[in-house]
């Protein structure tokens, strides 16, 4: 995994007696990378209140600066501390990010807007993929990229349909703009899962041209992967809740509770990968189920600790990814092999197609949703549509990882066209993250000034570990309230016709209270152990 790093730093370590072999050099490289992670956190904290900067952009810029320093000190032979490996990303870095997203999500808002989220995150990916793949298919041959096949073009379409809404989410406040935050956050996670599932479906088929039969095969394979991955995540989440509720680890050790939750979440991801399913989708729904059942079965100290532990792991993984992507900009080997004269126009084409592909579904789908959902609380006005469109323009680590998986073997390639695509992907990711990311704060403040933001009251029931405060936790445990008594008891048929989402939610709450929570636990069924560690 470590790069062959030779240069003045290597010579200096030799003279200082700190370099005794390759193994020790690996330790030095990891030490430097950890130091950079610490620097990213400190600098990001100092710049947190600025108008333009955010932690993702900070890590990316610091990575670019570090890569430039390494490039200079190594005599132009290297720009990395560690060599990128897509397996490292998919197996170790991505799971904690996606799991924490599911674990911390406000389930009430997420499922109230589930139809809209699925339309943006699933239907939108197909529309964007079709537009980007078609545009690349007709424009790229002009730059003499003759070795790209139809499968490569479809893969490019999925690669650049993977959004990274971190920059936008850091500006939005889920209490002030619950609808907008829920749509952007939910679409971001579902989009990543859909992109990876569609990417793997495309990779399964070897074809030279696209036809109706091939499209149906890809669609059916996508539906199979999507449904089975979701079911697997729900099963593992329920299993963890049942085990902790039955064996009640809380009376023995908080460490065991958190360890079991973390390991079973990771197990869900690895089982999905083992059976060639979508680990992203599996671990996301596993996180949702764990936050709904498992989290309420553990002791209070375990709840507080697990919430911060999972968030910390996700934060470190995200910083790691953006820091490395910044260093990857100056990858010497790929730039030497790539057709450098074609990188810039190809990057421009990809950015343009990304803008068009995003607009092609963000605005029409919003109009359809407004026609179907006519309540003022769910209306997506023009300002919100622009923010939703903007939130999906940034490209991030998922695009990088999928590009490496498609166009390299263990991070290397000998095909000039593939090297060109890798360099173009990195260029697009850096440009969209830095430029669009820097403009996110002023754009959102312009579109949503303080007097237009809907302040969400604090009288709603906490629906996720992220929003449950210790005081609320104690009141909930003492009163034993489940929050289901406040639901309106209307005729099921009339409720279904007037408000299908509320009707489904009402039926689910009844089923959940009567059957699921008595078996798997949850809010209102958990008990604290007097002798448990605090």
């Amino acid at each position: 995994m470590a790069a062959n790093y030779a240069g003045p730093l290597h010579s200096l370590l030799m003279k200082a007696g700190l370099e005794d072999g390759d193994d020790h050099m690996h330790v030095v490289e990891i030490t430097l990378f950890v130091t950079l992670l610490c620097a990213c956190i400190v600098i990001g904290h100092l710049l947190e209140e600025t108008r333009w900067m955010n932690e993702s952009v900070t890590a990316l810029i610091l990575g670019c600066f570090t890569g430039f320093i390494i490039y200079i000190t190594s005599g132009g032979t290297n720009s990395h501390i560690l060599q990128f490996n897509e397996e490292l990303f998919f197996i170790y870095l991505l799971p904690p990010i996606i799991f924490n997203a599911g674990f911390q999500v406000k389930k009430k808002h997420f499922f109230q807007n589930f139809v809209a989220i699925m339309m943006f995150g699933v239907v939108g990916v197909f529309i964007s993929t079709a537009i980007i793949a078609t545009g690349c298919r007709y424009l790229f041959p002009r730059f003499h990229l003759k070795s790209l096949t139809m499968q490569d073009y479809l893969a490019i379409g999925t690669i650049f349909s993977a959004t990274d809404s971190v920059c936008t989410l850091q500006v939005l406040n889920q209490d002030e703009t619950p609808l907008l935050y829920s749509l952007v956050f939910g679409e971001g996670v579902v989009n990543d899962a859909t992109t990876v599932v569609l990417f793997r479906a495309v990779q399964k088929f070897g074809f030279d041209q696209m036809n109706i039969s091939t499209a149906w095969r890809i669609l059916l394979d996508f539906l199979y992967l999507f449904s089975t991955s979701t079911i697997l995540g729900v099963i593992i989440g329920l299993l963890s809740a049942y085990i902790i509720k039955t064996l009640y680890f809380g009376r023995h050790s908080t460490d065991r509770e958190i360890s079991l939750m973390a390991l079973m979440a990771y197990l869900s991801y690895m089982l999905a990968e083992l059976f060639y399913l979508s680990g992203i989708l599996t671990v996301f729904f596993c996180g949702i189920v764990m936050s709904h059942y498992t989290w309420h079965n553990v002791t209070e100290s375990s709840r507080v600790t697990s919430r911060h532990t999972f968030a910390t792991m996700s934060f470190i993984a995200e910083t790691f990814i953006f820091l490395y992507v910044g260093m990857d900009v100056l990858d010497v080997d790929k730039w030497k092999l790539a057709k450098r004269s074609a990188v810039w126009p190809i990057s421009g084409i990809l950015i343009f197609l990304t803008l068009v592909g995003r607009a092609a579904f963000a605005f029409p789908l919003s109009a359809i949703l407004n026609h179907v959902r006519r309540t003022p609380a769910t209306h997506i006005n023009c300002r919100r549509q622009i923010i939703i469109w903007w939130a999906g323009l940034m490209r991030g680590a998922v695009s990088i990882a999928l590009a490496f998986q498609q166009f390299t073997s263990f991070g290397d390639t000998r095909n000039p066209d593939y090297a060109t695509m890798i360099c173009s992907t990195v260029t697009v990711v850096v440009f969209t993250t830095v430029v669009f990311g820097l403009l996110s704060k002023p754009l959102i403040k312009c579109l949503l000034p303080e007097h237009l933001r809907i302040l969400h009251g604090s009288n709603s029931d906490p629906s996720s570990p992220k929003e449950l405060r210790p005081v609320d936790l104690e009141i909930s445990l003492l009163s034993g309230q489940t929050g289901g008594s406040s639901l309106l008891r209307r005729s099921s048929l009339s409720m279904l016709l007037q408000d299908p989402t509320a009707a489904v939610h009402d039926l689910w709450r009844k089923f959940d209270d009567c059957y699921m929570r008595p078996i798997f636990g949850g809010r209102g069924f958990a008990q604290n152990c007097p002798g448990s560690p605090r």
Side-chain angles (χ1 to χ4, degrees), residues 69-86:
I69 296 299
I70 296 174
Y71 178 81
I72 296 299
T73 57
S74 64
T77 60
N78 188 36
S79 65
H80 301 98
I81 295 176
L82 299 175
Q83 185 67 34
F84 183 87
N85 189 328
E86 62 269 21

Side-chain angles (χ1 to χ4, degrees), residues 337-349:
L337 186 63
K339 300 174 181 177
R340 281 175 281 185
S341 60
V343 169
W344 306 112
I346 287 177
S347 300
I349 291 172

Side-chain angles (χ1 to χ4, degrees), residues 294-350:
T294 313
W295 189 76
H296 294 281
N297 294 340
V298 300
T299 59
E300 182 182 344
S301 58
S302 296
R303 299 178 198 184
V304 176
T305 305
S306 62
R307 176 166 59 90
H308 291 290
T309 298
F310 298 146
T312 300
M313 293 169 61
S314 173
F315 175 74
I316 293 175
E318 288 179 358
T319 307
F320 184 103
I321 292 169
F322 279 104
L323 183 62
Y324 185 86
V325 170
M327 286 188 288
D328 198 60
V329 173
L330 298 176
D331 191 315
V332 179
D333 294 333
K334 294 185 181 64
W335 278 100
K336 286 182 177 178
L337 186 63
K339 300 174 181 177
R340 281 175 281 185
S341 60
V343 169
W344 306 112
I346 287 177
S347 300
I349 291 172
L350 289 171

Side-chain angles (χ1 to χ4, degrees), residues 385-402:
Q385 291 179 28
I386 294 175
I387 293 176
I388 291 173
W389 170 73
W390 183 268
L393 295 180
M394 277 73 79
R395 296 296 175 263
V398 174
S399 296
I400 291 285
L402 293 180

Side-chain angles (χ1 to χ4, degrees), residues 152-185:
D152 291 325
Y153 287 119
L154 287 174
I156 292 171
T158 59
I159 289 169
F160 288 95
S161 295
T163 64
D164 192 318
S165 54
V166 173
C167 295
T168 307
L169 290 174
Q170 288 176 347
V171 181
L172 294 176
N173 187 305
Q174 60 182 333
D175 294 321
E176 294 180 350
T177 56
L179 173 64
L180 191 57
Y181 187 95
S182 177
L183 291 176
V184 172
F185 174 82

Side-chain angles (χ1 to χ4, degrees), residues 128-146:
S128 177
T129 298
I131 291 175
I132 296 175
T134 303
C136 293
R137 174 67 180 83
Y138 286 101
L139 294 176
F140 281 9
R142 301 185 180 187
F143 301 97
H144 308 291
L145 301 182
K146 299 179 180 179

